[in-house]
Amino acid sequence: VQLQASGGGLVQDGGSLKLSCAASGRIVSSHRMAWFRQAPGKERDFVASITWNGRSAVYADSVKGRFTISRHNARNTVVYLQMNSLKPEDTAVYYCAIDVSYDGSYDYWGQGTQVTVSS
């Protein structure tokens, strides 16, 4: 399994960004995927997850109402994170991940994409 995250960048307070994570290998379309983030000096935190069919999503309280996770399962699977009303505290490296073992843990991770929100 390979995960490739992209879409990060520098945005002003209140702005928007859309992250993408392209997943390939095995049957990635059959597995839950998620976004996590890690700010400097802090632990990696859960942001959002989505079921294999895109019908159900879970969000961290800190991003509810501002971020939306979605996915497109076709020849390759792509998971998106639409981030609106961004705040400086959203600044972090964002990682996508996939749960291929169906045990609630995430087994494969992308390389991360930097999101910086300026005040």
Side-chain angles (χ1 to χ4, degrees):
V1 175
Q2 290 186 327
L3 304 178
Q4 181 71 39
S6 62
L10 174 64
V11 64
Q12 290 187 333
D13 190 355
S16 298
L17 278 176
K18 186 173 184 177
L19 306 183
S20 299
C21 176
S24 60
R26 293 187 58 174
I27 311 175
V28 293
S29 60
S30 302
H31 299 279
R32 173 183 289 268
M33 294 187 66
W35 287 96
F36 288 75
R37 66 186 181 185
Q38 187 168 20
K42 296 187 178 181
E43 294 184 351
R44 188 175 297 185
D45 291 331
F46 170 81
V47 175
S49 66
I50 189 166
T51 52
W52 70 274
N53 57 7
R55 292 181 180 175
S56 180
V58 177
Y59 296 92
D61 288 344
S62 58
V63 306
K64 280 181 182 176
R66 299 188 298 122
F67 291 10
T68 303
I69 189 171
S70 61
R71 69 187 292 164
H72 177 67
N73 290 331
R75 180 176 180 180
N76 291 312
T77 292
V78 183
V79 176
Y80 303 98
L81 187 68
Q82 176 67 47
M83 305 185 293
N84 298 327
S85 302
L86 282 162
K87 306 174 182 179
E89 50 264 43
D90 294 318
T91 295
V93 177
Y94 284 70
Y95 299 90
C96 58
I98 186 169
D99 172 10
V100 299
S101 53
Y102 298 108
D103 65 357
S105 64
Y106 291 91
D107 311 284
Y108 294 91
W109 296 79
Q111 86 287 4
T113 185
Q114 176 71 47
V115 172
T116 303
V117 184
S118 63
S119 58

